[in-house]
Amino acid sequence: MNQKAAPPLGERALDPKSQPGQGAISEPRVVSPRSVSEMRASREMVTENSDWIRPLREEMGRVIVGQTHLLDRLLIALLTNGHVLLEGVPGLAKTLTLKTLAHCIALRFKRLQFTPDMLPADIVGTMIYSPQDGAFRTKQGPIFSNLILADEINRAPAKVQSALLEAMQERQVTLGDETYPLPAPFLVLATQNPLEQEGTYPLPEAQVDRFMMKVIVDYPTRTEERAILDAMATTEPMIVPRTVVSASHVIEARHIVNTLFIDDKVRDYIVDIVLATRPPVAAGLKLDGYVQTGASPRATIALTLAARAMAFLNGRHFVTPQDVKTVAMDVLRHRVSVTYEAEAENVTPENVIEKLLNTLPVP
């Protein structure tokens, strides 16, 4: 019923043949033996290269109670070479989750506490003068690690925040006249405290858009809270996670993710979702006056990659529309800004995204 009531989206949506359930007769799809063999090979390849996902989740579960949503998004970011912006109150195991993930994959982990007096050299490094030979030597900063936790990134001034831009986008750092590549895999997890906004420096839109996903971490349930009490309420050293996967497995899995099959209808569905966040099309979804700016083409790419990674985590060699809907909120919530009228009516970007996901016809 929702598909018939959904407003049109562009020329394609106006064609009754493109709408499912409208009585249109589609031509039977002929599958060649070659394509069947390719799909079977792709399925076997995904099965073989994703066998490390379950042991990794189990080992993480020995240390982290709950937070499955956060862990899945971190794995998606690792598989797609993306970055994650995390928002949640203190004490929800954000640092512990990333540190445990680094132990399980044998990756180098660095935690950067952002403060107002921080300098860009504290992150990327600097050139140090050596009086012995009168030459400048390069001292690399903590950014030269695999997993970076930028804790409370909005507490540092803009010049420090911008020092992460080249590292996040280009996977390299320039010191003096030399450019140094960063190790692979490379993941930046930046956190923000939603409670304290005084004395902070909000991230500019250009930098927020470079984060593949923005994940909201909520409080644990009562059962999880009790499990946390039983596991953590002790002065004894915490459980040290074992290494269950190597970085080479993650790099190899990235190549597999890029080969996962996405049907043309699912591709069109991704484009429809991104277009629906922009004011011209949002007006047709009864969101006129609520959306100020929509998602950029970078969101289309991120949504496609995240859907592929979600399918890989589920052991499938193809992407379904449900994979797209599962990751859409985390990919789009920080790329959609609402107007003052929407804020006055307590309409958030999450409300806008949820509205369009429930309204758009699903292939």
Side-chain angles (χ1 to χ4, degrees), residues 56-129:
L56 177 61
R57 284 173 169 168
E58 292 177 350
E59 188 63 24
M60 292 281 295
R62 295 178 59 243
V63 181
I64 307 297
V65 178
Q67 302 293 7
T68 56
H69 181 84
L70 172 59
L71 176 58
D72 285 345
R73 271 45 185 181
L74 289 179
L75 291 178
I76 289 175
L78 273 178
L79 292 172
T80 57
N81 208 19
H83 306 288
V84 180
L85 180 62
L86 206 59
E87 189 169 291
V89 298
L92 296 182
K94 298 184 292 292
T95 303
L96 181 60
T97 301
L98 193 63
K99 186 177 181 180
T100 304
L101 180 64
H103 277 291
C104 292
I105 313 181
L107 298 176
R108 286 182 293 172
F109 167 77
K110 291 293 184 180
R111 178 180 180 271
L112 305 178
Q113 182 64 52
F114 281 63
T115 57
D117 60 345
M118 201 173 190
L119 298 175
D122 298 329
I123 300 176
V124 299
T126 186
M127 304 292 293
I128 298 180
Y129 178 75

Side-chain angles (χ1 to χ4, degrees), residues 130-361:
S130 177
Q132 285 79 11
D133 53 5
F136 285 90
R137 302 189 182 279
T138 302
K139 179 176 176 56
Q140 296 181 348
I143 195 68
F144 289 89
S145 300
N146 298 109
L147 301 183
I148 303 295
L149 176 64
D151 206 1
E152 293 187 301
I153 189 174
N154 56 338
R155 291 200 175 277
K159 61 181 180 180
V160 178
Q161 297 173 2
S162 62
L164 287 175
L165 288 179
E166 183 185 10
M168 291 173 57
Q169 187 67 25
E170 307 297 337
R171 266 72 180 180
Q172 64 182 22
V173 170
T174 302
L175 297 175
D177 297 332
E178 297 292 333
T179 299
Y180 303 90
L182 293 173
F186 178 73
L187 169 66
V188 173
L189 175 65
T191 67
Q192 289 187 138
N193 185 355
L195 300 180
E196 301 174 358
Q197 300 298 328
E198 295 184 3
T200 61
Y201 303 84
L203 293 175
E205 296 296 332
Q207 186 165 355
V208 171
D209 195 41
R210 296 180 187 273
F211 287 95
M212 183 180 186
M213 292 177 290
K214 179 180 179 180
V215 181
I216 305 298
V217 183
D218 206 351
Y219 291 107
T221 63
R222 190 184 191 281
T223 304
E224 294 172 346
E225 193 82 25
R226 177 56 191 270
I228 293 173
L229 185 150
D230 296 337
M232 303 296 180
T234 176
T235 58
E236 298 296 329
M238 295 182 58
I239 300 174
V240 179
R242 300 185 301 267
T243 300
V244 296
V245 62
S246 63
S248 60
H249 288 85
V250 177
I251 301 298
E252 181 63 27
R254 287 181 177 179
H255 301 296
I256 307 300
V257 169
N258 291 332
T259 63
L260 298 190
F261 175 74
I262 303 182
D263 191 81
D264 288 339
K265 293 182 179 180
V266 179
R267 295 174 185 265
D268 292 337
Y269 181 56
I270 293 174
V271 173
D272 285 345
I273 291 177
V274 176
L275 290 180
T277 64
R278 299 170 186 173
V281 183
L285 298 177
K286 298 182 180 180
L287 294 173
D288 190 19
Y290 288 152
V291 179
Q292 183 174 0
T293 57
S296 67
R298 189 178 281 146
T300 307
I301 300 173
L303 190 56
T304 304
L305 292 175
R308 275 177 162 162
M310 179 58 67
F312 181 83
L313 292 179
N314 293 327
R316 279 185 279 103
H317 63 285
F318 59 92
V319 177
T320 65
Q322 186 58 42
D323 294 327
V324 179
K325 296 184 69 173
T326 301
V327 299
M329 184 65 72
D330 296 317
V331 172
L332 296 176
R333 63 158 47 99
H334 59 297
R335 293 183 165 98
V336 177
S337 60
V338 296
T339 60
Y340 292 110
E341 291 80 1
E343 293 179 354
E345 299 180 17
N346 294 325
V347 176
T348 63
E350 285 83 358
N351 298 139
V352 173
I353 298 169
E354 184 178 2
K355 168 73 174 178
L356 65 90
L357 289 178
N358 294 333
T359 304
L360 290 175

Side-chain angles (χ1 to χ4, degrees), residues 37-70:
S37 61
E38 288 179 351
M39 293 176 63
R40 184 182 298 110
S42 178
R43 181 172 60 251
E44 294 175 354
M45 187 166 49
V46 170
T47 303
E48 293 175 0
N49 289 273
S50 63
D51 56 355
W52 54 270
I53 299 294
R54 182 176 179 181
L56 177 61
R57 284 173 169 168
E58 292 177 350
E59 188 63 24
M60 292 281 295
R62 295 178 59 243
V63 181
I64 307 297
V65 178
Q67 302 293 7
T68 56
H69 181 84
L70 172 59

